Amino acid sequence: MDHFHLRDGTLWCEDVSLERIAAEVGTPVYVYSAATLRRHARVFREGLAAAGPVHLAYAIKANPNLGVLRVLADEGYGADVVSAGEMKRALAAGIPTAEVVFSGVGKTEGELATGLDAGIGQFNLELEEEGVVLGALAAARGVRAPAVLRVNPDVDAGTHAKISTGKRENKFGVPIDQAPAMFARLATVPGLEMRGVACHIGSQLADLAPLEAAYARVGELVAELRAAGHAISRVDLGGGLGVPYRREDRLPSPADLGAMVARVTAGWDVELMFEPGRVIAGNAGVLLTRVIWVKPGGTNPYVIVDAAMNDLARPALYDAWHDFEAVRPSGERFVASIAGPVCETGDTFARDREIDAVARGDLAVFRTAGAYGATMASTYNSRSLVPEVLVDGDRYAVVADRVAAEALIAAERVPDWL
Ligand code: PLP
């Protein structure tokens, strides 16, 4: 459930009309609903309560805007970060250091040091050598780095290949069959405090069965590590729960996930951790855009909007679907393709789809754009970096400015030897 709804024939976010935001901020613009973020954060927490007390670390990569992070910090969420930049955001938003988890397959030595100096709560190791380097950095500082070993359970998550992370051939984690020996070696590294294991098999999962298979393998590993004498206190079960991108999509709920987790992890006797991203932020945001032209096409018309693949990359990257709705729907429908102004055929949001009939100048939204939307934006074609707005009840704030071409050009220079 989200807080974008029709009121008197036009689309509102909570108690602010999208027409007002478009008039005052311009388009394209991302609009997030604080009430929806809070609701999702609570529904996820309540769903997982069946599995006992859990640590919740919001995966910042889904939507790292500081305003969004502050809402989630106030909901008691920690943060899963994959770069020093994300770590700085988490801390700037007020997320407690101890609740920050550093994931990521390519953490640099500098980033590991930054995490140690900040005193973050957990490092998720992606390879043995990383543990050795982290241990040395920690020992040099007279501390022990809290760490878990991320394992790759070799499970097909059944999601898009580009966001699958738990198959043997993916770059993430260590092969689960090699984990016991590796864990034993890491447990002897002086600067490391090996607490347990982590796994994350992919994103936008529409079925719990692959997650259950992965968790079951992790459970066997925990038992094996304990039998070998290791104290296992923590298991990080990652994120990945999918969201409905189409109105009619039916996905497992956080309560379904919680029930499965409770069943699979019964008797593990560890602190469980989750790293939800998309399920918190996805349906809490829309990309508000204006129709520039309705261009007659070879087959169907092209609706050319002022948002493009540089603002919302998911359709171009993953052929992803985003529902498209007029802000002031007339009730008429037509079949059209929807594209942005960027000079690539890939800059197409939908092909030959039945949508609300729109005309030049109309406003419309791409739904479910709160996760992996603005954070992936670029300035390709020297387009402005898209701004972001956060609505909370009847107020809103611009939480990220539009970064216009002038500012981008100002950061560049022509060498004086040219
Ligand atoms: N944790 C890790 C390690 C990830 O790589 C990701 C994203 O792929 C997430 C959590 C968040 O996934 P999602 O947004 O699908 O919940």
Side-chain angles (χ1 to χ4, degrees):
M1 203 206 99
D2 62 55
H3 291 75
F4 295 91
H5 51 89
L6 282 175
R7 187 185 289 180
D8 299 331
T10 80
L11 199 57
W12 288 55
C13 175
E14 303 190 26
D15 294 321
V16 180
S17 95
L18 294 185
E19 288 182 339
R20 178 179 157 209
I21 293 175
E24 294 175 3
V25 184
T27 56
V29 57
Y30 277 92
V31 181
Y32 308 132
S33 154
T36 310
L37 288 166
R38 288 189 194 106
R39 183 186 143 75
H40 291 171
R42 288 171 198 176
V43 167
F44 194 83
R45 183 184 293 287
E46 285 158 17
L48 269 295
V54 296
H55 287 264
L56 298 175
Y58 166 66
I60 287 195
K61 62 176 79 68
N63 186 328
N65 181 275
L66 284 181
V68 169
L69 295 186
R70 176 60 61 82
V71 171
L72 297 174
D74 289 346
E75 289 297 316
Y77 272 65
D80 167 51
V81 305
V82 294
S83 69
E86 285 194 348
M87 189 192 313
K88 287 171 190 164
R89 281 177 178 275
L91 301 180
I95 292 174
T97 328
E99 295 299 323
V100 176
V101 179
F102 203 159
S103 301
V105 71
K107 305 184 231 19
T108 64
E109 205 171 316
E111 287 181 312
L112 292 172
T114 305
L116 277 174
D117 292 337
I120 64 158
Q122 180 177 308
F123 292 85
N124 288 9
L125 302 178
E126 284 273 354
L127 70 163
E128 187 172 346
E129 199 178 353
E130 183 188 20
V132 173
V133 170
L134 177 64
L137 289 169
R141 288 164 171 74
V143 296
R144 289 176 78 204
V148 302
L149 182 61
R150 177 170 176 181
V151 297
N152 182 322
D154 194 21
V155 166
D156 184 351
T159 187
H160 192 283
K162 289 184 184 169
I163 48 174
S164 163
T165 57
K167 288 192 75 182
R168 200 175 171 81
E169 63 268 29
N170 297 143
K171 67 178 173 178
F172 299 98
V174 303
I176 196 160
D177 49 336
Q178 296 171 24
M182 216 176 275
F183 196 98
R185 290 192 293 272
L186 287 169
T188 66
V189 174
L192 279 188
E193 185 193 329
M194 291 302 296
R195 293 185 173 171
V197 292
C199 108
H200 168 80
I201 63 168
S203 194
Q204 185 53 14
L205 307 188
D207 180 5
L208 294 181
L211 273 179
E212 181 163 352
Y215 295 172
R217 282 178 205 179
V218 169
E220 288 164 14
L221 174 63
V222 168
E224 190 175 341
L225 292 171
R226 284 222 173 103
H230 301 293
I232 303 297
S233 60
R234 186 168 276 213
V235 175
D236 180 344
L237 293 176
L241 195 59
V243 299
Y245 278 95
R246 301 175 198 230
R247 230 172 243 289
E248 64 273 21
D249 286 350
R250 293 288 167 265
L251 281 106
S253 68
D256 297 333
L257 175 66
M260 182 274 276
V261 170
R263 184 160 36 79
V264 178
T265 65
W268 283 16
D269 189 25
V270 292
E271 281 180 349
L272 289 178
M273 167 172 274
F274 293 88
E275 302 168 349
R278 192 186 305 268
V279 72
I280 304 292
N283 275 305
V286 299
L287 175 57
L288 177 59
T289 185
R290 195 178 287 282
V291 176
I292 307 177
W293 308 109
V294 178
K295 177 181 175 179
T299 46
N300 293 310
Y302 267 97
V303 173
I304 310 286
V305 293
D306 65 1
M309 64 188 283
N310 69 297
D311 305 306
L312 176 62
R314 297 188 68 259
L317 262 183
Y318 318 124
D319 289 321
W321 177 288
H322 287 268
D323 277 346
F324 179 83
E325 290 172 11
V327 165
R328 192 178 273 275
S330 64
E332 301 284 306
R333 310 271 293 169
F334 69 176
V335 175
S337 295
I338 310 164
V342 160
C343 296
E344 301 236 2
T345 300
D347 183 23
T348 302
F349 293 105
R351 287 187 182 80
D352 303 319
R353 192 193 290 182
E354 188 187 307
I355 54 171
D356 288 339
V358 285
R360 181 181 169 199
D362 284 355
L363 291 169
V365 294
F366 291 104
R367 282 210 170 243
T368 321
Y372 306 104
T375 185
M376 287 190 180
S378 76
T379 57
Y380 185 40
N381 276 198
S382 290
R383 289 168 51 84
S384 301
L385 199 58
V386 62
E388 298 163 85
V389 157
L390 181 69
V391 175
D392 193 2
D394 60 3
R395 20 175 215 189
Y396 82 83
V398 176
V399 289
D401 290 337
R402 186 182 311 283
V403 181
E406 291 75 13
L408 301 171
I409 293 168
E412 299 175 19
R413 55 203 55 82
V414 178
D416 55 11
W417 38 264
L418 277 184

